[in-house]
Amino acid sequence: MLKALFKKQMLEMNAWLFQDKKTGKRRSKAGILGYAMLYLLVFGILFVMFYNVGSMLCEPLVEAGMGWLYLSIMSLMAILLGVFGSVFSTYTSLYQAKDNELLLSLPLRPSHILLVRLFGVWFWGFLYELFVLAPAMIVYWTAAAPGFWTVVLDILLPLILSVFVLALSCILGWVVAKISTKLKHRSLVTVFVSLVFLGGYYYMYFRAYDMLQTLLLNAQAVGESIRGAFYPVYLIGSAGEGSALSLALLAAMVLALFLLIWIVLSRTFFNIAAAKPASAKKRYKESPVKRRTAAGALLRKEAGRFFSSPTYMLNCGLGALLLCICAVLALVKGAWLQALIGQLAIAESIVPLIAIAAICMLAAMNDITAPSISLEGKSLWLAQSLPVSPWQVLKAKLALHLLLTAIPTLLCSVCVCIALRTGPLAAAMIVLFPPLFVLLFAAFGLIVNLKMPNLSWTDETVPVKQSMGVLLALFGGWVFVLLLGLLYAIVGSFMAPGWYLLLAAVLTGAASAGLLCWLRSRGAAIFAAL
């Protein structure tokens, strides 16, 4: 039975390559090859990136007699990437697997199910870990030219660290699972955690070079601190340099930690896997139902779908958050912004054009209407059977996009005007043009989705992240802004920026009106016939 479970787990692990999530069917040979080549390209980029990081650190530290510090740093990077790559698969594969109830109902030991699931988590953590350690070891072997025994220990080191990655992933996955059974607003919490991670990622990305330079300048002090306060980290580097004793001590500590975690997981697995998500306990209380208009009810329905899906919010609504952040930054850093414009010697007449372009670029990142029809999926008939016209349904989708994009856009425009201290005409254009742009591409995204709907998806990430309509809506907005900039470069010699912006606003408004008329007539007919 354990062999059958391992076979099932291997099939699940390979499903991403052989099965098309969009249709649920097996990919063609060409599709499998293309998908494999795409992932190989991504893996190759990661390999080159960490090879360059290793090349920057390795030679100076090896020459200083601190090769162990280089190996420790790269190993910590590998552990971090491995935990990040496997912690959420720990939660989903251990506690949220769709077949948990089925397997638990069979004459199987929960410990066997746990063992097989942990194998999948270990595999992905080990794979992510190798993205860092494989190029790091190649760089080290080239720079230090170690002996045969050291190379053998260097090959064993990633295997031991992979068990440590598994242990950390299990701890964090267990915490996530315990919290999830008590959490009532999981969608908003997921979005918040994802945004925090993105902020941390970009902070580390932009500070990475400075941090590496600081490390190289203070290598001796950092090394002494690690030996004293973080001795297990020193053991990792020492084992990589060829110390069998350090490797044995490291392996003993990792195995002891994993055994402890195994005992806890084996005793709590059944209860958490079989637990139902928390739901608010409500007592019925008779009260009058508030009457809503058809438009209000449809808008409420669209907002409910948007705010209940972290995937939808993060991929199609991130622009609203960025606009609000930029509004605050414009007020706080207004003096710095004016000084920067002065240093770059940007003509005062061009500043409104640049401000409008930046605001529109951010607004284009909100493409809420682009997948909105596809997200109806197989329940599209419900929207079509309501006692409302198809145009009212489409208008509700437009209204949600405008509420979540036009309002932050107006806020950002006003704050930019205050920060730049623009004149009346420039301020009017900065405030007027971006909302017209938002209206234009809200209608454009809806039209594209009407023309290219995907109603047969099995995972909502397909219409949200892998839809041609979403791609066209996002890049279409950016291309539109670039074309306006190129057009001004042509006519700017004989047309003042204010008059050009006024003409562009009129044309954008006219184009928006044309798209809305098309949606009300032809678009509504297409929606009714889907």
Side-chain angles (χ1 to χ4, degrees):
M1 190 63 73
L2 188 60
K3 182 179 178 181
L5 283 175
F6 269 106
K7 183 178 180 180
K8 169 187 168 296
Q9 186 66 31
M10 293 299 296
L11 291 174
E12 288 182 0
M13 289 166 54
N14 295 327
W16 62 272
L17 178 60
F18 297 101
Q19 186 183 35
D20 186 353
K21 287 188 176 182
K22 181 177 179 180
T23 61
K25 298 179 181 179
R26 182 179 175 85
R27 301 181 192 274
S28 63
K29 292 183 178 179
I32 293 173
L33 180 61
Y35 214 63
M37 293 298 293
L38 176 63
Y39 271 83
L40 285 175
L41 176 62
V42 174
F43 297 160
I45 293 173
L46 288 173
F47 186 94
V48 171
M49 181 177 71
F50 286 109
Y51 184 89
N52 290 334
V53 173
S55 299
M56 182 183 295
L57 287 174
C58 186
E59 189 171 348
L61 291 177
V62 169
E63 289 180 354
M66 301 185 68
W68 67 268
L69 181 57
Y70 163 77
L71 293 169
S72 296
I73 293 171
M74 298 305 292
S75 296
L76 289 176
M77 289 185 185
I79 291 170
L80 181 62
L81 186 62
V83 171
F84 169 73
S86 59
V87 63
F88 289 105
S89 65
T90 305
Y91 171 51
T92 55
S93 63
L94 286 184
Y95 303 114
Q96 271 199 335
K98 294 180 179 180
D99 58 350
N100 267 345
E101 293 185 359
L102 175 61
L103 292 179
L104 291 172
S105 67
L106 295 175
L108 297 172
R109 295 181 181 179
S111 59
H112 286 179
I113 301 173
L114 178 62
L115 178 64
V116 171
R117 293 275 167 79
L118 285 179
F119 172 77
V121 176
W122 169 84
F123 175 81
W124 287 113
F126 183 53
L127 184 63
Y128 279 99
E129 177 192 325
L130 286 181
F131 292 154
V132 181
L133 284 184
M137 290 302 179
I138 292 174
V139 171
Y140 178 70
W141 293 339
T142 302
F148 174 78
W149 180 245
T150 301
V151 173
V152 171
L153 295 183
D154 287 343
I155 294 174
L156 293 176
L157 182 61
L159 292 172
I160 295 173
L161 293 180
S162 67
V163 180
F164 182 62
V165 168
L166 175 61
L168 290 180
S169 299
C170 288
I171 294 173
L172 295 176
W174 180 80
V175 171
V176 171
K178 291 292 287 185
I179 293 175
S180 178
T181 58
K182 307 295 182 183
L183 209 56
K184 298 173 184 177
H185 303 287
R186 290 188 296 277
S187 298
L188 295 178
V189 173
T190 301
V191 170
F192 175 76
V193 172
S194 301
L195 292 175
V196 170
F197 169 76
L198 284 174
Y201 168 79
Y202 282 109
Y203 175 80
M204 294 296 295
Y205 177 81
F206 289 114
R207 291 293 307 270
Y209 182 79
D210 293 336
M211 292 169 67
L212 291 177
Q213 290 293 327
T214 303
L215 173 66
L216 290 176
L217 292 174
N218 301 278
Q220 293 291 341
V222 172
E224 292 300 323
S225 298
I226 290 176
R227 286 193 187 194
F230 304 98
Y231 188 70
V233 177
Y234 168 72
L235 287 180
I236 295 174
S238 178
E241 278 196 316
S243 172
L245 179 60
S246 296
L247 189 70
L249 290 173
L250 182 66
M253 288 189 291
V254 168
L255 290 177
L257 175 63
F258 179 73
L259 287 176
L260 178 62
I261 292 171
W262 170 261
I263 293 171
V264 174
L265 284 179
S266 61
R267 293 182 178 180
T268 59
F269 173 72
F270 180 85
N271 292 333
I272 299 179
K276 300 295 183 183
S279 58
K281 295 182 179 180
K282 295 183 179 180
R283 297 179 62 183
Y284 176 73
K285 183 179 180 181
E286 185 176 354
S287 60
V289 177
K290 185 179 180 181
R291 185 177 180 181
R292 299 180 184 277
T293 63
L298 289 171
L299 178 60
R300 185 181 179 89
K301 167 182 168 291
E302 294 297 327
R305 172 180 286 116
F306 180 80
F307 289 109
S308 65
S309 172
T311 303
Y312 196 7
M313 284 189 281
L314 285 170
N315 289 275
C316 299
L318 189 60
L321 177 63
L322 295 178
L323 285 165
C324 293
I325 292 174
C326 287
V328 175
L329 289 177
L331 293 178
V332 174
K333 297 290 185 179
W336 174 84
L337 190 60
Q338 290 182 357
L340 179 64
I341 293 172
Q343 291 176 1
L344 296 176
I346 299 175
E348 186 177 350
S349 60
I350 305 297
V351 171
L353 288 169
I354 299 174
I356 289 173
I359 294 171
C360 289
M361 286 282 192
L362 291 175
M365 296 180 67
N366 266 24
D367 47 8
I368 297 169
T369 56
S372 61
I373 295 172
S374 295
L375 285 172
E376 299 283 350
K378 295 180 180 179
S379 62
L380 177 67
W381 66 273
L382 291 173
Q384 293 172 328
S385 63
L386 293 173
V388 293
S389 66
W391 167 237
Q392 286 179 291
V393 177
L394 297 179
K395 193 163 58 173
K397 298 180 184 297
L398 287 170
L400 180 66
H401 186 114
L402 294 177
L403 283 174
L404 296 179
T405 311
I407 293 175
T409 299
L410 280 172
L411 175 65
C412 186
S413 298
V414 171
C415 292
V416 167
C417 291
I418 295 173
L420 297 179
R421 299 176 183 176
T422 56
L425 179 59
M429 288 298 99
I430 293 175
V431 172
L432 174 65
F433 186 86
L436 292 174
F437 172 86
V438 170
L439 177 60
L440 175 66
F441 279 91
F444 176 75
L446 198 56
I447 289 173
V448 172
N449 201 205
L450 280 170
K451 289 290 190 179
M452 295 184 293
N454 176 13
L455 303 173
S456 60
W457 48 269
T458 57
D459 187 343
E460 70 175 9
T461 58
V462 173
V464 171
K465 299 181 68 172
Q466 303 173 18
S467 166
M468 181 58 69
V470 170
L471 191 66
L472 290 175
L474 175 62
F475 289 102
W478 292 349
V479 170
F480 182 81
V481 173
L482 292 175
L483 288 177
L484 287 178
L486 290 175
L487 182 60
Y488 178 74
I490 297 172
V491 303
S493 58
F494 57 86
M495 182 178 287
W499 288 108
Y500 175 77
L501 286 174
L502 182 60
L503 177 62
V506 171
L507 294 176
T508 303
S512 302
L515 294 185
L516 290 175
C517 289
W518 188 94
L519 280 170
R520 186 167 187 172
S521 56
R522 181 60 183 161
I526 292 174
F527 178 79
L530 286 176

